[in-house]
Amino acid sequence: MILSVLNQKGGVGKTTLSIHIATALAQTGKRVLLIDADPQGSALDWSAIRTVDPLFPVVGLPKATLHRELVAFARDYDHVVIDGPPRVYDVARSAIMASDLVLIPVQPSPYDVWAAKEIVDLLQEASAFKEKLISAFVINRKIANTAIGRDVAEALASYQLPVLKASLCQRVSFAESAAQGGTVLEAEPASLAAQEVNALTTELLEIAA
């Protein structure tokens, strides 16, 4: 599976999701590659401060030729996760063309719902070339037990893309683990945060099958 985590809006948690999904996949014993396609290089920075052995390599490839260059990398891995850039249309297009599945993280805010139109438009363009491309929204940084967390799924329905059942809540543990080059799956494997990541990863594998 080649999975891209994309949204043209910044600050929606693409890197956190990418790293955690890659970790969850690697913990099942699969060979995983994480591609950092964001010129800011946050996933590479995360990897550089990691003090324990890496579960997977991280490669920087923020290029509009990503879909072509990835062929040489991907053949040695069971899964490739692409952490996509905000506001870099040519790289986002290339990531879409490389992918089997595109995951669109959206925070529970009307601004995020409106901004999702940009990536949905890119996906519609790509569908002319990739008929079997799968794409779905995931609600990220949801504040537990609030109405807006539920309402955002209804608001996204106008885009006619599925919203995954799994979602991730806003939790300090994501930031705390990232500061150490780690993940909640490693630091707190029994936590609610880890359970949410594992549920999301399981759902992604199901829809990609």
Side-chain angles (χ1 to χ4, degrees):
M1 173 180 70
I2 300 179
L3 165 72
S4 284
V5 183
L6 296 173
N7 193 322
Q8 291 301 92
K9 187 178 186 298
V12 295
K14 292 186 292 294
T15 300
T16 298
L17 276 171
S18 299
I19 288 168
H20 278 82
I21 292 167
T23 300
L25 292 169
Q27 287 183 337
T28 67
K30 298 297 184 180
R31 296 167 301 167
V32 178
L33 173 66
L34 177 59
I35 297 290
D36 190 341
D38 187 343
Q40 291 182 349
S42 297
L44 285 169
D45 291 342
W46 169 85
S47 179
I49 64 168
R50 188 175 172 86
T51 56
V52 296
D53 290 341
L55 294 173
F56 47 83
V58 181
V59 174
L61 208 59
K63 300 180 180 179
T65 53
L66 168 63
H67 60 293
R68 293 197 293 271
E69 296 188 39
L70 185 59
V71 175
F73 292 99
R75 63 170 64 101
D76 296 325
Y77 297 93
D78 300 305
H79 301 295
V80 178
V81 179
I82 302 171
D83 178 19
R87 296 290 178 199
V88 187
Y89 284 89
D90 55 350
V91 178
R93 283 193 184 94
S94 187
I96 291 169
M97 295 307 295
S99 300
D100 304 308
L101 172 59
V102 175
L103 182 65
I104 310 164
V106 177
Q107 295 180 118
S109 118
Y111 304 109
D112 282 63
V113 173
W114 299 331
K117 183 179 187 302
E118 293 185 62
I119 190 64
V120 171
D121 287 346
L122 282 178
L123 287 165
Q124 288 176 340
E125 287 178 25
S127 65
F129 305 97
K130 295 199 69 169
E131 293 180 3
K132 295 183 179 180
L133 180 67
I134 301 167
S135 51
F137 289 111
V138 61
I139 299 171
N140 192 32
R141 295 177 175 165
K142 184 173 72 172
I143 300 173
N145 303 316
T146 59
I148 195 167
R150 298 186 296 270
D151 294 347
V152 70
E154 296 177 15
L156 289 168
S158 63
Y159 290 119
Q160 299 180 332
L161 290 178
V163 180
L164 298 185
K165 294 175 185 175
S167 60
L168 270 63
C169 289
Q170 176 80 293
R171 301 187 191 279
V172 173
S173 55
F174 284 110
E176 289 178 340
S177 61
Q180 308 301 318
T183 64
V184 297
L185 295 165
E186 299 161 286
E188 303 175 53
S191 65
L192 287 174
Q195 291 174 35
E196 290 169 359
V197 172
N198 284 322
L200 171 61
T201 305
T202 298
E203 190 172 358
L204 289 170
L205 289 171
E206 287 172 353
I207 67 172

